[in-house]
Amino acid sequence: TQSRSSAASDVYKRQVEDKWNRIYSEHQRPGRAAAVLTDNSNILPVTGLALDLACGLGSNSLFLAARGLEVHAWDISTVAISYLAKRADSQGLNIQTRVLNITASVLPIDSYDLIVISHYLDRTLPPAILNATRSGGVICYQTFTAEKEISIGPSNPKFLLQKNELQSFVPGCEILAFKDESNNTNSDDPLAGRAFIVARKPKS
């Protein structure tokens, strides 16, 4: 039974990888960095080590590295990671890329000064993300909400934030910024239909 479960997991992983490789093969221009970063740049660290989880083409990684952070960028898509690695190299930015199936077990404890995860929702990850953040470090989440009134982003409730769910991802942390734009239907607004939170882990 265990081997059957493992085989099913491998098949699903390959399907996800193939899906995103196909998407990134067709769209190879990174968009702008997530609003959770650009809107709150004044409260983000400019030195130290950052982790961009499910980084895609790396717009967040490029933004953070250009500000002076060393960045680890992880994604399941070999196409996206290859593209980001070349772009970082051509711009002389300190970004270390890894092709990785992102699970809670791969996150190292007490390692990052900033972790950003945008437009990716896996509810098994928040405790591991909190543990991977250093004392005094910053966590940034942004993704689509279940209450969004704009027809972009996922439709599966599994991948949509419930009202005020973001706060539950950062228990015991200081909330530095929070915004919910579920009612925003302006397709030109990078936060339409989304919510973000920026939280600081307490200093131990």
Side-chain angles (χ1 to χ4, degrees):
T1 306
Q2 191 170 1
S3 62
R4 191 180 302 151
S5 169
S6 176
S9 175
D10 288 345
V11 168
Y12 177 72
K13 175 180 171 290
R14 277 198 302 276
Q15 288 173 341
V16 172
E17 187 177 354
D18 290 346
K19 170 191 168 184
W20 287 107
N21 280 338
R22 189 168 61 251
I23 289 170
Y24 290 129
S25 293
E26 295 167 1
H27 305 281
Q28 291 196 345
R29 283 183 65 86
R32 47 192 163 185
V36 70
L37 299 181
T38 57
D39 287 7
N40 301 293
S41 59
N42 60 315
I43 55 176
L44 302 180
V46 292
T47 59
L49 182 59
L51 173 62
D52 184 3
L53 274 177
C55 63
L57 295 171
S59 53
N60 292 334
S61 297
L62 295 164
F63 175 84
L64 293 171
R67 285 168 54 86
L69 287 150
E70 178 185 350
V71 180
H72 290 176
W74 299 353
D75 199 275
I76 198 170
S77 168
T78 51
V79 171
I81 287 295
S82 172
Y83 176 89
L84 175 56
K86 288 175 187 168
R87 195 172 179 92
D89 187 53
S90 70
Q91 294 183 19
L93 295 173
N94 191 357
I95 300 174
Q96 297 178 35
T97 56
R98 282 182 74 186
V99 177
L100 203 59
N101 183 31
I102 296 162
T103 61
S105 62
V106 301
L107 284 154
I109 291 173
D110 195 28
S111 298
Y112 295 100
D113 300 290
L114 183 151
I115 297 180
V116 59
I117 182 162
S118 69
H119 303 122
Y120 181 78
L121 182 57
D122 179 343
R123 291 177 172 87
T124 68
L125 293 179
I129 290 171
L130 188 58
N131 287 337
T133 307
R134 289 176 178 151
S135 166
V138 174
I139 300 169
C140 302
Y141 282 99
Q142 174 182 310
T143 198
F144 293 95
T145 71
E147 297 180 329
K148 65 185 170 74
E149 295 178 9
I150 189 171
S151 57
I152 55 173
S155 55
N156 185 339
K158 179 181 175 183
F159 304 118
L160 295 170
L161 291 167
Q162 297 303 310
K163 191 169 182 64
N164 296 324
E165 186 178 16
L166 281 176
Q167 287 88 331
S168 71
F169 292 171
V170 286
C173 294
E174 178 191 0
I175 307 303
L176 302 177
F178 173 77
K179 200 168 189 182
D180 186 332
E181 290 288 313
S182 296
N183 299 330
N184 187 337
T185 56
N186 177 5
S187 58
D188 293 326
D189 189 328
L191 202 55
R194 305 158 172 91
F196 71 51
I197 199 165
V198 182
R200 178 178 286 124
K201 187 173 178 176
K203 291 185 177 177
S204 54

